[in-house]
Amino acid sequence: MKITAARVIVTCPGRNFVTLKIETDQGVYGIGDATLNGRELSVVSYLQDHVAPCLIGMDPRRIEDVWQYLYRGAYWRRGPVTMRAIAAVDVALWDIKAKMANMPLYQLLGGRSRDGVMVYGHANGSDIAETVDAVGQYIDMGYKAIRAQTGVPGIKDAYGVGRGKLFYEPADAALPSVTGWDTRKALNTVPKLFEKLRETYGFDHHLLHDGHHRYTPQEAANLGKMLEPYQLFWLEDVTPAENQEAFKLIRQHTVTPLAVGEIFNTIWDAKDLIQNQLIDYIRCTIVGAGGVTHLKRIADLASLYQIRTGCHGATDLSPVTMGTALHFDTWVPNFGVQEYMRHTEETDAVFPHDYTFEKGELFCGETPGHGVDIDEKLAAKYPYKPAYLPVARLEDGTMWNW
């Protein structure tokens, strides 16, 4: 069995997606996601010019060997572009192998560890009252876990407050838009939000919050301490993770669970945080961390330290990644939760899939492979549109972490 073609498909049914389709001489094909929000064309170039030519003639069943070829064989390793390209290939090959075996992907990974996958949705509002109402709407839809973000008085375009209620696309302009940030104003507002949420809905539902890399370690520790009475499921990306020792300071001062990892690319990004038990949830993704093959390694390392998975799942990941993640989530023993931001109807039409939502959980289907396909004719009707993620500045103009 040989790979005969590896084609890159770019489409924009509401937002940009980069899809790799690998075809074989036996008529079986697989697809993988390589989307990198705001930098899609960087991955397209790497896939088309550097990866795809190397795949022709390879045996698609040798998934591990192909992964090692693309990772070890590249002197300039790691990084978001390289690892997304590897992830696209890896997922497409797992799709092919599962189709050959006539099995859903989770069976090849070792079978079920659970029946359904608990997911969390995104509730947001321009102020606390609006966010409280939005959380109630998610509860009414059956969600057991909800991430809550609110606008902050005096902060321009606060992170997480999107234009839609069920989906949120931050890449909003042909050049980066400028948002604002003020830590003190956020620290004065966020605890009030969760106080109101617990007062309104009690403690039966899991609540989450995303700091989006905005706080210094001391500020993050302060926020975690203030949120302890409200028993958050987790506090996410509360400080930039480049300085992993910063999490020691946070850990010393708060028992609020910590989650990090959606921008990590390899096990090396997460190793120290995991081994030193400085986090509770690892949020690496199928598309961001080198595919199923490498994410399995990260999850296995985390399991040794009682750290659970909580894979990123915003709309910048295509249904291909979501479908694959659900097979991974169905198998992985140390599962925690799966982020689930719904795609637009246009996106769902371009990427027909068999996963379903019911009572706060997603269920992967029984279709052989990862259960997601691409309608290439429909995809061609949505050409690429340049779109950047925003940037953030403090009130005095200083650049900050978006």
Side-chain angles (χ1 to χ4, degrees):
M1 190 176 193
K2 302 296 181 184
I3 295 172
T4 56
R7 297 188 291 109
V8 180
I9 304 162
V10 182
T11 184
C12 186
R15 59 110 38 241
N16 293 313
F17 296 106
V18 178
T19 305
L20 177 69
K21 186 172 186 178
I22 293 180
E23 300 171 350
T24 70
D25 59 358
Q26 294 189 17
V28 182
Y29 68 86
I31 62 173
D33 179 21
T35 306
L36 179 55
N37 201 2
R39 294 175 59 187
E40 289 86 1
L41 296 186
S42 299
V43 186
V44 170
S45 176
Y46 188 73
L47 272 173
Q48 288 184 160
D49 299 336
H50 300 282
V51 174
C54 298
L55 298 175
I56 307 306
M58 284 186 169
D59 185 339
R61 297 167 297 186
R62 297 181 60 169
I63 298 175
E64 183 65 47
D65 184 62
V66 173
W67 196 97
Q68 296 294 337
Y69 177 91
L70 295 175
Y71 183 82
R72 291 178 180 266
Y75 183 71
W76 307 107
R77 299 180 185 177
R78 303 167 66 181
V81 173
T82 297
M83 296 308 292
R84 271 171 165 75
I86 292 175
V89 174
D90 186 77
V91 168
L93 296 187
W94 277 104
D95 192 25
I96 289 170
K97 177 160 281 193
K99 288 174 178 176
M100 291 172 59
N102 197 33
M103 291 181 178
L105 176 56
Y106 74 83
Q107 293 287 14
L108 287 190
L109 299 179
R112 288 185 179 274
S113 292
R114 60 198 48 81
D115 296 324
V117 173
M118 185 175 74
V119 299
Y120 70 89
H122 288 204
N124 64 81
S126 59
D127 56 26
I128 289 176
E130 194 172 304
T131 300
V132 171
D133 288 343
V135 169
Q137 293 169 18
Y138 274 90
I139 290 174
D140 290 343
M141 287 188 286
Y143 282 80
K144 304 170 186 177
I146 306 105
R147 191 189 84 165
Q149 308 290 139
T150 183
V152 177
I155 294 182
K156 177 181 181 291
D157 299 326
Y159 167 77
V161 181
R163 298 179 298 279
K165 295 301 182 185
L166 293 178
F167 49 87
Y168 165 53
E169 175 48 60
D172 60 358
L175 290 174
S177 57
V178 179
T179 63
W181 180 251
D182 185 297
T183 298
R184 174 46 51 196
K185 292 174 181 176
L187 290 175
N188 287 339
T189 301
V190 173
K192 295 177 183 177
L193 167 65
F194 287 93
E195 179 183 24
K196 188 63 176 178
L197 286 171
R198 288 307 188 194
E199 178 185 302
T200 305
Y201 301 114
F203 286 78
D204 290 341
H205 295 86
H206 300 300
L207 297 178
L208 305 83
H209 183 70
D210 186 358
H212 219 250
H213 320 280
R214 302 298 176 90
Y215 301 90
T216 67
Q218 188 277 337
E219 293 164 350
N222 189 17
L223 178 59
K225 190 72 173 177
M226 289 191 289
L227 291 174
E228 285 179 7
Y230 313 117
Q231 300 179 25
L232 266 64
F233 187 89
W234 77 35
L235 184 56
E236 172 190 342
D237 287 342
V238 75
T239 196
E242 290 97 331
N243 175 18
Q244 298 198 2
E245 289 193 359
F247 284 79
K248 291 181 180 179
L249 188 152
I250 302 169
R251 200 60 137 178
Q252 289 169 0
H253 293 284
T254 181
V255 295
T256 295
L258 302 174
V260 73
E262 72 180 56
I263 64 171
F264 289 176
N265 303 130
T266 71
I267 197 169
W268 303 106
D269 297 320
K271 180 180 74 70
D272 291 347
L273 289 172
I274 291 172
Q275 289 182 336
N276 293 310
Q277 295 181 269
L278 299 179
I279 57 174
D280 302 279
Y281 297 90
I282 184 66
R283 303 201 64 245
C284 300
T285 66
I286 295 284
V287 66
V292 174
T293 297
H294 196 60
L295 191 59
K296 279 170 55 56
R297 294 193 177 100
I298 296 173
D300 284 341
L301 175 63
S303 71
L304 300 179
Y305 299 92
Q306 302 180 65
I307 293 168
R308 293 185 285 176
T309 65
C311 295
H312 176 63
T315 47
D316 59 327
L317 313 182
S318 91
V320 176
T321 290
M322 178 56 70
T324 307
L326 292 176
H327 285 270
F328 178 88
D329 296 335
T330 297
W331 157 77
V332 68
N334 52 319
F335 171 76
V337 72
Q338 171 66 55
E339 181 177 17
Y340 175 47
M341 190 184 294
R342 296 167 185 245
H343 291 102
T344 64
E345 292 182 3
E346 292 83 1
T347 295
D348 286 338
V350 170
F351 295 96
H353 54 268
D354 66 356
Y355 57 81
T356 57
F357 174 85
E358 184 180 354
K359 296 181 180 178
E361 297 181 337
L362 280 174
F363 298 85
C364 63
E366 296 295 319
T367 306
H370 54 49
V372 186
D373 208 338
I374 184 169
D375 184 332
E376 293 191 58
K377 290 184 178 179
L378 186 56
K381 296 181 179 180
Y382 299 101
Y384 168 79
K385 296 180 181 179
Y388 278 82
L389 291 170
V391 298
R393 291 186 182 272
L394 303 182
E395 288 183 333
D396 67 359
T398 302
M399 281 297 302
W400 204 242
N401 306 303
W402 182 80

